Amino acid sequence: MTVKSVAVVGVGSAGLAAIKWCRERGLEVVGYERESDCGGVWHQGTAHSPAYDSLFTNSSNKLMELSDFPFPFKTSQVFPKHAEILRYYRAYKDHFGLDKFVRWNTGVRRVEKIHEKGVWRVETEHGDVDYYDAVMLCTGKLWDPRLPPWAHDLAEQHPEIDVLHAKMYRNPDRFRKRSVVIVGIGNSALDIALELSQHEDIDVCISCRRGTSIVPTRDSAGNPTDQKLARRFVQYKLPSKARLLYLYYLVNAANKSFRDAGLPEPPTGLFGPRSPSANLKQTPEFLRQLRNGRIRFVPEATGESVIGSDGKPSLQLADGSTVRADAVICCTGYTLRLDKVLGPKETESISRVAHWKGGRSVPWLRMYRHCMHPQDPTLFLCGFVTSFGNETCISEMQSRWATAVMAGLIPAPTSEKIEKDLAMTEFFLNQTQPSLSGFVRYIPYLDAMAEDLGATPEVDFWSDPRLYLQMLFNPVVPAHYRIFGLDALPREQLRSRL
């Protein structure tokens, strides 16, 4: 396999890293971005961004820094605001001179393989066509809103009810003096519910189909939870039962308050193998609103609407009761749609559907390490995974690994290794709920990629006791994977960031 030219589709956080690492490997690269600037979902000024005004990250700033680019400014808080993340990626783009490799305001209509010539055909929305040896698809997951099956009918039959997806939410202004039903119990649902509940003239309730495990982003002392959990000592040295007890200690108080307020317990209990979870960012504030009755939990909405005796619209619930609903905000996630860019043959070759015994099904991508096409090592997807760690840093590692394969610096995986990885992915799907189809374990996933690059941060205690202890007890950050092997940086340059 000889790769000289690469097309990168989408220049958000994953796309920027992909372009940067293509340049590092000496590959010719062109990035395609439909917007006029980088940043992807963090660029609120674009029509496609789901970022609301108050949005800030659920990953701490220490874990969000890419491996060779620390924050060039001090963030206003440990969990940076969306504008600060956009500022960071703009600075990253400028620092590495990536702007000249991107075709801005150029969306991609179709990417497909011309097998007779062994090249990829990239057609833009302007009608231009170019050919490349390889493609890195970095469009991400948060673009095609998924609505409940009844949402469109409800909006058409009852125009007096404001029905929207969370992607369209920006701030509480349009919901003043209204009763709002939030459908779903994920991260955005908790964020939006809290923000709305802080206005006395807005009535807020959350309608959910089932319970979930609440994972606060801070512990009781105010320390970032991700920095507590993303440590090698916790993930590798603690026995599994001790690790679960530690996690239970971190989150039990918040979950008890949610159960007391009416949120059902997950079907398999707290942190069961099929238990969904949601990040809670402002734990004290949210718990206060629960205790004050400013946020309520109600059963699953059926989508049927009735007009009450007061002439106001109400939404019918699964238990037969109703709840006042002037507006319905659907925090119900996104549908993974590769076929909007990727050709039909390519999409079909990697698209699968996982069927859970609970009756749900969800599409998943049959990709080696959720990144490389199993039969074609010239098609890579970066930024399509979910993790309890920072997903942007995973995208950077994917780009490092993919470009090393394309540049011939490391061998492509064997067919046996690929099939073993895919079998493990399918096994995982059978053990977990379908919404986790793209889930990876943060540290083990990074370690597996790093092993191929010779960059696993394994240190002998006697050769460098200080570094050994840092690797064991400090939060795992991308800079850890630049100490050894391919792409290693001078030790002193990294030491302050470890």
Side-chain angles (χ1 to χ4, degrees):
M1 178 187 70
T2 301
V3 172
K4 294 183 179 179
S5 59
V6 182
V8 174
V9 182
V11 187
S13 55
L16 282 174
I19 294 170
K20 186 261 187 185
W21 281 102
C22 282
R23 296 299 303 164
E24 291 273 346
R25 308 295 190 211
L27 301 170
E28 298 173 11
V29 61
V30 175
Y32 292 86
E33 173 54 53
R34 63 183 171 184
E35 306 293 350
S36 60
D37 197 1
C38 66
V41 297
W42 300 108
H43 192 182
Q44 192 191 37
T46 66
H48 298 94
S49 172
Y52 33 93
D53 294 351
S54 61
L55 178 67
F56 58 92
T57 68
N58 54 15
S59 294
S60 58
N61 49 14
K62 185 177 180 66
L63 267 67
M64 293 203 73
E65 292 183 337
L66 297 178
S67 64
D68 50 7
F69 192 69
F71 271 95
F73 57 90
K74 185 177 181 180
T75 59
S76 61
Q77 54 190 36
V78 175
F79 296 93
K81 299 177 180 179
H82 66 82
E84 293 174 316
I85 298 300
L86 177 60
R87 180 183 171 190
Y88 173 77
Y89 287 119
R90 283 173 171 167
Y92 180 87
K93 176 196 68 175
D94 295 340
H95 179 77
F96 291 107
L98 305 180
D99 197 74
K100 58 187 175 183
F101 302 107
V102 182
R103 296 181 185 176
W104 304 106
N105 299 304
T106 306
V108 170
R109 179 180 297 155
R110 182 66 70 200
V111 173
E112 55 189 354
K113 186 72 174 281
I114 308 299
H115 292 278
E116 297 80 11
K117 297 182 179 180
V119 296
W120 288 89
R121 181 182 184 273
V122 177
E123 179 184 358
T124 72
E125 292 177 347
H126 305 314
D128 301 324
V129 175
D130 292 291
Y131 297 90
Y132 299 90
D133 297 326
V135 169
M136 299 178 74
L137 196 61
C138 303
T139 52
K141 314 181 291 290
L142 307 181
W143 302 111
D144 193 8
R146 182 174 62 240
L147 289 164
W150 44 260
H152 291 294
D153 289 343
L154 180 65
E156 289 181 3
Q157 297 171 13
H158 299 277
E160 69 276 11
I161 300 178
D162 191 3
V163 182
L164 67 152
H165 189 272
K167 183 178 181 180
M168 305 306 297
Y169 175 85
R170 288 296 176 266
N171 55 57
D173 292 350
R174 69 190 272 188
F175 304 102
R176 303 300 295 269
K177 299 182 179 179
R178 306 175 83 183
S179 295
V180 181
V181 177
I182 295 173
V183 178
I185 186 64
N187 299 352
S188 59
L190 298 179
D191 283 356
I192 294 171
L194 177 60
E195 183 171 49
L196 293 177
S197 73
Q198 292 169 341
H199 296 270
E200 292 293 332
D201 60 351
I202 302 178
D203 181 65
V204 183
C205 66
I206 299 175
S207 168
C208 48
R209 177 172 49 195
R210 62 179 185 272
T212 191
S213 298
I214 302 299
V215 182
T217 57
R218 294 178 183 268
D219 64 15
S220 57
N223 300 310
T225 307
D226 60 357
Q227 294 188 25
K228 292 283 188 179
L229 297 175
R231 300 172 187 242
R232 292 182 179 280
F233 176 79
V234 173
Q235 296 298 321
Y236 288 151
K237 300 298 183 181
L238 276 183
S240 58
K241 289 185 178 179
R243 188 164 59 248
L244 284 173
L245 283 173
Y246 179 57
L247 185 58
Y248 184 81
Y249 163 76
L250 288 176
V251 306
N252 180 53
N255 277 272
K256 185 177 185 305
S257 296
F258 272 71
R259 305 296 171 245
D260 292 343
L263 177 67
E265 186 151 335
T268 57
L270 191 63
F271 307 119
R274 298 179 187 271
S275 175
S277 63
N279 288 126
L280 179 62
K281 297 176 184 175
Q282 296 168 277
T283 304
E285 295 88 343
F286 203 103
L287 297 184
R288 187 181 309 117
Q289 297 298 73
L290 285 179
R291 288 192 294 268
N292 294 338
R294 296 289 301 131
I295 300 175
R296 297 174 290 119
F297 291 102
V298 299
E300 178 183 5
T302 65
E304 298 293 328
S305 178
V306 297
I307 302 299
S309 57
D310 58 356
K312 301 293 185 179
S314 294
L315 200 61
Q316 195 157 16
L317 305 176
D319 65 351
S321 63
T322 61
V323 63
R324 170 82 177 275
D326 298 311
V328 177
I329 303 176
C330 301
C331 300
T332 43
Y334 296 80
T335 300
L336 185 59
R337 290 287 303 276
L338 294 182
D339 58 344
K340 289 192 172 183
V341 174
L342 207 56
K345 290 183 179 179
E346 291 75 22
T347 301
E348 183 180 356
S349 68
I350 59 175
S351 297
R352 298 292 185 273
V353 176
H355 298 284
W356 187 38
K357 65 181 181 181
R360 296 182 61 206
S361 62
V362 72
W364 67 284
L365 301 177
R366 193 174 185 272
M367 300 284 284
Y368 174 69
R369 288 182 178 167
H370 303 272
C371 178
M372 189 190 83
H373 192 291
Q375 284 85 43
D376 188 348
T378 62
L379 175 61
F380 297 87
L381 272 61
C382 298
F384 287 82
V385 300
T386 301
S387 175
F388 287 138
N390 184 263
E391 292 155 16
T392 299
C393 298
I394 291 177
S395 300
E396 184 196 29
M397 180 62 82
Q398 289 176 326
S399 292
R400 282 180 62 189
W401 181 86
T403 54
V405 171
M406 289 188 284
L409 298 176
I410 61 175
T414 64
S415 57
E416 291 80 10
K417 193 172 184 179
I418 291 173
E419 289 304 317
K420 182 179 179 180
D421 175 81
L422 296 175
M424 289 179 63
T425 299
E426 293 190 61
F427 175 79
F428 178 79
L429 285 171
N430 290 329
Q431 300 300 313
T432 60
Q433 53 144 350
S435 61
L436 295 179
S437 61
F439 180 81
V440 298
R441 294 177 61 203
Y442 181 61
I443 299 176
Y445 184 83
L446 291 175
D447 281 356
M449 289 287 199
E451 183 178 5
D452 291 349
L453 299 170
T456 307
E458 295 178 345
V459 184
D460 178 67
F461 175 81
W462 300 108
S463 63
D464 193 331
R466 179 185 175 188
L467 184 61
Y468 173 87
L469 294 174
Q470 285 178 316
M471 294 299 98
L472 186 61
F473 293 106
N474 285 5
V476 172
V477 296
H480 286 193
Y481 297 96
R482 300 297 297 274
I483 300 173
F484 304 109
L486 198 62
D487 316 314
L489 294 173
R491 189 75 58 85
E492 292 307 313
Q493 181 179 334
L494 294 170
R495 195 174 287 276
S496 64
R497 302 179 57 204
L498 302 180

